[in-house]
Amino acid sequence: MADVKKIAVIAGDGIGPEVVAEAQKVIAKTEEVFGYRFEFEYGLFGGIAIDQRGTPLPEDTLAMCKNADAVLLGAVGGPQWDNNPKELRPETGLLGIRKALGLFSNIRPAVVFDCLKDASTLKPEVLEGTDLIVVRELTGGIYFGEKLRREGPNGQEAVDTCVYSVMEVERIARQAFEIARTRRKKLASVDKANVLETSRLWRETVIRVAEDYPDVELEHVLVDNCAMQLLRRPSSFDVIVTENMFGDILSDEAAMLTGSIGMLSSASLGEGSYGLYEPVHGSAPDIAGQGIANPVATILSVALMYRLTFGYHDAADAIELAVKEVLDAGHRTKDIAVDKNKSIGTEAMGDLIVAAIRKLQGN
Ligand code: IPM
Ligand code: MG
């Protein structure tokens, strides 16, 4: 019998609890079909933790995450916390948990599902074959540099500092090269080396790391140009590696290529197999509690967790195929439905995917 793996579950705010509940049904089904065993622990995080505990990232939640093999996160945030001071904002909890768990690498695949090609705002022929991964540096750069307010010669000023060390660039570059190696062996390193010193260090370092990966084709793309090329020739990208803020922006852009942010999963990783898995979409407070959210991104995040943390490739394949079959059969939640009157709810989508999970030939 497989050993019991511990998953820390943070449902979070808005639609978080609804989509996480469906992901847990999927996990339960894979336990039944594949004999894997999981134990769940639950913690408060984000807005709900601010309300109930006075902080977005309570100590016991962090301890629970550290003690688990992987973390499954729903979504955090909502308008009721938007005007809070910085230390009482859900986003602060998110940045804090990434840093505290050493999750320096954020992996965001953007895959165009064939049957959803029409959901994108781009022409289907431009999207044809798009299958890329944004590897975003997650614990450095301007997000984490020194910030201050001060009086300057023209009144109040604000400063955000962007710092990168060679070590930080090197480890994310290595991870991106390793991922590229398992795919089409193409890496685009995105920077602003024509202007920023951190980007020049980034580029020098990536070039040095590339010596260890002669089999991977490396191109350097300036971030503004990359934003344009993503719309012009998305299918030519394989793996994109970039710093924290550029990755934040480009991963949203890449997500929209697929036309369906409700479909995209993500992983945040450190050095080992430990990871935090969450849908790319947010807490969608406007539709929370209505039972209409799309659970697919969270369910696909479970597949990523199985692959990257546990090495349970058979179950990951089964989940991904189940999702594909359900979509191919025409089932749609509202966000991806062409005919909004024919859409199904969160639970119905979860149930259909659960029912489609089975052992595949050859696994
Ligand atoms: C993301 C989000 C966060 C980020 C926010 C909510 C702090 O946009 O995960 O991409 O900027 O990293
Ligand atoms: Mg973002």
Side-chain angles (χ1 to χ4, degrees), residues 108 136 143 248-249 251-252:
R108 295 186 173 180
R136 167 188 176 193
Y143 272 60
D248 178 44
I249 299 165
S251 64
D252 265 30

Side-chain angles (χ1 to χ4, degrees), residues 83-106:
N83 298 319
N84 280 7
K86 191 176 132 201
E87 61 286 0
L88 290 180
R89 292 185 62 118
E91 294 86 348
T92 306
L94 202 54
L95 299 186
I97 204 170
R98 289 172 180 168
K99 194 74 168 178
L101 298 176
L103 305 171
F104 63 83
S105 163
N106 184 218

Side-chain angles (χ1 to χ4, degrees), residues 265-285:
S265 56
S266 79
S268 299
L269 306 169
E271 261 342 321
S273 60
Y274 184 88
L276 178 148
Y277 298 84
E278 60 179 318
V280 168
H281 64 70
S283 58

